[in-house]
Amino acid sequence: QGIFVLGLPYALLYSGYSGLFLIVLAAALCCYTGKILISCLYEENEDGQLVRVRDTYEDIANACCKKLSPKLGGIVVNMTQVIELIMTCILYLVVSGNLLSHSFPYVPVTEKTWSVIACVTLLPCVFIRTLKIVSKLSQLCSLVHFIIILVVMTYCLTQIHQWSWAKFRLSIEFDDFLVSVGVIIFSYTSQIFLPTLEGNMKNPGEFRCMLNWTHFFACVLKTTFALTAFLTWGEETKEVITDNLPSFLQTVVNLCLLTKALLSYPLPFFAATEIVYACISRGNHSNYGSPLFALGVRGSFLLLTLLMAMFIPHFALLMGLTGSVTGAAMTFLLPSLFHLKLKWKKLSFLEKCADISVFILGFLCSLAGIVCSIKGLLEVF
């Protein structure tokens, strides 16, 4: 459950009843693309048993493009992954600076300086070498997130006397609806991490079951949270729902959000640096031949994310543009395309139709997001 969840009530403000349907549909689609992506890692051996013959998203892409160019698919996927992961890291730094400046408004420090301070606290990230440490930090991140959700929902339940279903929209504006689609879909995205996650599971056979349950609970939590918050504030719902809270709760929640943003940073940071280091060392992924060089790669990444967070103007619009391209590609376009390419002869007619439908839907979402983002950038400039 990422920071995007806090924008779901705002998404309902513009999508109305269709937003509730979208939350359920997005869960089903992202769960499906996660499964077909992992199925691309496996092939049947002579005995008809499934064997894991690929390890990463890159390996799947290379297998699909080997007739055209043995490395082309992997290069495209790696570039897409790294761009999205870097943008995610930058977003966490921007959010951290914003939250610190709002939490301590009387301290004469600019938002950019707060981002630098936040980055300094993240320096230990350059020494992380295993996914196990990242998983512990992510567990703490989840705990903090549930505290935030609990605080918001508890306050909303105290206002239950003023709830009204009349606050929901029946008619929607197309541009506003597209914003809602982006927020809802990208609150579920996890495909970048799935091959690594499945490969690190003690029992990979339970992956599909795990994916079903996590997406089911995510869907229930998102729907409940978005509904209770929107019914409480209605038309006054803000982009980040915590801004609607009374001032005495806002500071506490902002500090929790800051903790969550800092604890969320190591996962995309670790994933991005692992991809880059693996490419540089020609696939020598598990054995760091030169620890100093690996440290230099991670240190450079940390500095790069800080510089971009400080100096890129109109970051939110650029994030939207990047997310529309990379997010839709990694979540919908590539998994369905790879599945069709690698498993075409073994897929049933319905499975082929499902993959093609997901591809078309992903393409339309990506195209609409690009148009809206470019339109916003042109208006700004």
Side-chain angles (χ1 to χ4, degrees), residues 247-268:
S247 55
F248 70 93
L249 280 176
Q250 222 176 84
T251 305
V252 175
V253 171
N254 276 352
L255 290 173
C256 286
L257 275 171
L258 171 66
T259 307
K260 176 178 168 48
L262 294 175
L263 288 170
S264 297
Y265 185 94
L267 180 59

Short mmCIF file of all heavy atoms in Angstrom, two decimals, residues 247-268:
data_model
loop_
_atom_site.label_atom_id
_atom_site.label_comp_id
_atom_site.label_asym_id
_atom_site.label_seq_id
_atom_site.Cartn_x
_atom_site.Cartn_y
_atom_site.Cartn_z
N SER A 247 -5.89 20.37 12.53
CA SER A 247 -4.47 20.68 12.69
C SER A 247 -3.77 19.84 13.76
O SER A 247 -2.61 19.47 13.60
CB SER A 247 -4.29 22.17 13.01
OG SER A 247 -5.06 22.52 14.14
N PHE A 248 -4.49 19.49 14.85
CA PHE A 248 -3.84 18.73 15.93
C PHE A 248 -3.49 17.30 15.47
O PHE A 248 -2.54 16.69 15.97
CB PHE A 248 -4.72 18.69 17.19
CG PHE A 248 -5.96 17.86 17.07
CD1 PHE A 248 -5.98 16.53 17.47
CD2 PHE A 248 -7.14 18.41 16.57
CE1 PHE A 248 -7.13 15.77 17.36
CE2 PHE A 248 -8.30 17.66 16.46
CZ PHE A 248 -8.29 16.33 16.85
N LEU A 249 -4.23 16.76 14.51
CA LEU A 249 -3.93 15.43 13.98
C LEU A 249 -2.97 15.51 12.80
O LEU A 249 -2.20 14.58 12.55
CB LEU A 249 -5.21 14.73 13.53
CG LEU A 249 -6.09 14.07 14.60
CD1 LEU A 249 -7.35 13.50 13.96
CD2 LEU A 249 -5.33 12.95 15.31
N GLN A 250 -3.02 16.63 12.08
CA GLN A 250 -2.25 16.76 10.85
C GLN A 250 -0.75 16.64 11.07
O GLN A 250 -0.05 15.96 10.32
CB GLN A 250 -2.57 18.12 10.20
CG GLN A 250 -2.74 18.01 8.69
CD GLN A 250 -3.14 19.32 8.08
OE1 GLN A 250 -2.27 20.15 7.80
NE2 GLN A 250 -4.42 19.54 7.87
N THR A 251 -0.24 17.27 12.14
CA THR A 251 1.20 17.23 12.42
C THR A 251 1.66 15.80 12.70
O THR A 251 2.68 15.34 12.17
CB THR A 251 1.55 18.14 13.62
OG1 THR A 251 1.07 19.45 13.35
CG2 THR A 251 3.05 18.19 13.84
N VAL A 252 0.88 15.09 13.53
CA VAL A 252 1.22 13.70 13.88
C VAL A 252 1.23 12.83 12.62
O VAL A 252 2.17 12.06 12.38
CB VAL A 252 0.20 13.12 14.91
CG1 VAL A 252 0.49 11.65 15.18
CG2 VAL A 252 0.25 13.92 16.20
N VAL A 253 0.18 12.97 11.79
CA VAL A 253 0.06 12.16 10.58
C VAL A 253 1.16 12.53 9.58
O VAL A 253 1.72 11.65 8.91
CB VAL A 253 -1.34 12.33 9.95
CG1 VAL A 253 -1.41 11.67 8.57
CG2 VAL A 253 -2.40 11.72 10.85
N ASN A 254 1.49 13.82 9.48
CA ASN A 254 2.56 14.25 8.56
C ASN A 254 3.90 13.63 8.93
O ASN A 254 4.69 13.23 8.07
CB ASN A 254 2.69 15.78 8.56
CG ASN A 254 1.69 16.43 7.62
OD1 ASN A 254 1.01 15.76 6.86
ND2 ASN A 254 1.59 17.75 7.67
N LEU A 255 4.18 13.55 10.24
CA LEU A 255 5.43 12.93 10.69
C LEU A 255 5.43 11.43 10.41
O LEU A 255 6.46 10.84 10.07
CB LEU A 255 5.64 13.20 12.19
CG LEU A 255 5.98 14.66 12.54
CD1 LEU A 255 6.00 14.86 14.05
CD2 LEU A 255 7.32 15.08 11.93
N CYS A 256 4.24 10.80 10.54
CA CYS A 256 4.11 9.38 10.18
C CYS A 256 4.33 9.18 8.68
O CYS A 256 4.99 8.23 8.26
CB CYS A 256 2.73 8.85 10.57
SG CYS A 256 2.49 8.60 12.32
N LEU A 257 3.77 10.11 7.88
CA LEU A 257 3.95 10.05 6.43
C LEU A 257 5.41 10.23 6.04
O LEU A 257 5.91 9.58 5.12
CB LEU A 257 3.11 11.15 5.75
CG LEU A 257 1.65 10.83 5.46
CD1 LEU A 257 0.92 12.08 5.00
CD2 LEU A 257 1.53 9.74 4.41
N LEU A 258 6.09 11.12 6.76
CA LEU A 258 7.53 11.34 6.52
C LEU A 258 8.30 10.05 6.79
O LEU A 258 9.15 9.65 5.99
CB LEU A 258 8.03 12.47 7.44
CG LEU A 258 9.55 12.68 7.47
CD1 LEU A 258 10.05 13.18 6.11
CD2 LEU A 258 9.93 13.66 8.56
N THR A 259 7.99 9.40 7.91
CA THR A 259 8.64 8.13 8.26
C THR A 259 8.38 7.09 7.17
O THR A 259 9.28 6.36 6.76
CB THR A 259 8.11 7.61 9.62
OG1 THR A 259 8.24 8.64 10.59
CG2 THR A 259 8.87 6.38 10.07
N LYS A 260 7.13 7.05 6.71
CA LYS A 260 6.76 6.10 5.65
C LYS A 260 7.53 6.37 4.36
O LYS A 260 8.03 5.44 3.72
CB LYS A 260 5.26 6.16 5.39
CG LYS A 260 4.83 5.26 4.25
CD LYS A 260 3.37 5.27 3.99
CE LYS A 260 3.05 4.60 2.66
NZ LYS A 260 3.68 3.31 2.45
N ALA A 261 7.62 7.65 3.98
CA ALA A 261 8.33 8.01 2.75
C ALA A 261 9.80 7.60 2.82
O ALA A 261 10.36 7.06 1.86
CB ALA A 261 8.21 9.52 2.50
N LEU A 262 10.44 7.84 3.99
CA LEU A 262 11.85 7.49 4.15
C LEU A 262 12.06 5.98 4.18
O LEU A 262 13.05 5.47 3.66
CB LEU A 262 12.39 8.12 5.45
CG LEU A 262 12.46 9.66 5.46
CD1 LEU A 262 12.89 10.17 6.83
CD2 LEU A 262 13.40 10.20 4.37
N LEU A 263 11.10 5.25 4.78
CA LEU A 263 11.21 3.78 4.83
C LEU A 263 10.86 3.15 3.48
O LEU A 263 11.26 2.02 3.20
CB LEU A 263 10.29 3.21 5.91
CG LEU A 263 10.71 3.45 7.37
CD1 LEU A 263 9.60 3.06 8.33
CD2 LEU A 263 11.98 2.68 7.70
N SER A 264 10.10 3.88 2.64
CA SER A 264 9.73 3.37 1.31
C SER A 264 10.88 3.50 0.31
O SER A 264 10.95 2.76 -0.66
CB SER A 264 8.52 4.14 0.77
OG SER A 264 7.39 3.96 1.58
N TYR A 265 11.77 4.46 0.55
CA TYR A 265 12.85 4.78 -0.38
C TYR A 265 13.78 3.58 -0.67
O TYR A 265 14.14 3.36 -1.84
CB TYR A 265 13.65 5.96 0.16
CG TYR A 265 14.74 6.48 -0.75
CD1 TYR A 265 14.49 7.54 -1.62
CD2 TYR A 265 16.02 5.93 -0.73
CE1 TYR A 265 15.50 8.03 -2.45
CE2 TYR A 265 17.01 6.40 -1.56
CZ TYR A 265 16.75 7.45 -2.42
OH TYR A 265 17.75 7.92 -3.24
N PRO A 266 14.20 2.78 0.34
CA PRO A 266 15.19 1.73 0.07
C PRO A 266 14.79 0.70 -0.98
O PRO A 266 15.64 0.22 -1.72
CB PRO A 266 15.37 1.06 1.45
CG PRO A 266 15.02 2.12 2.42
CD PRO A 266 13.92 2.90 1.79
N LEU A 267 13.48 0.35 -1.09
CA LEU A 267 13.07 -0.70 -2.04
C LEU A 267 13.31 -0.30 -3.50
O LEU A 267 14.03 -1.00 -4.22
CB LEU A 267 11.61 -1.10 -1.80
CG LEU A 267 11.06 -2.18 -2.74
CD1 LEU A 267 11.87 -3.46 -2.64
CD2 LEU A 267 9.60 -2.46 -2.44
N PRO A 268 12.76 0.83 -3.99
CA PRO A 268 13.07 1.21 -5.38
C PRO A 268 14.55 1.54 -5.59
O PRO A 268 15.09 1.27 -6.66
CB PRO A 268 12.19 2.44 -5.62
CG PRO A 268 11.80 2.95 -4.28
CD PRO A 268 11.78 1.76 -3.38
#
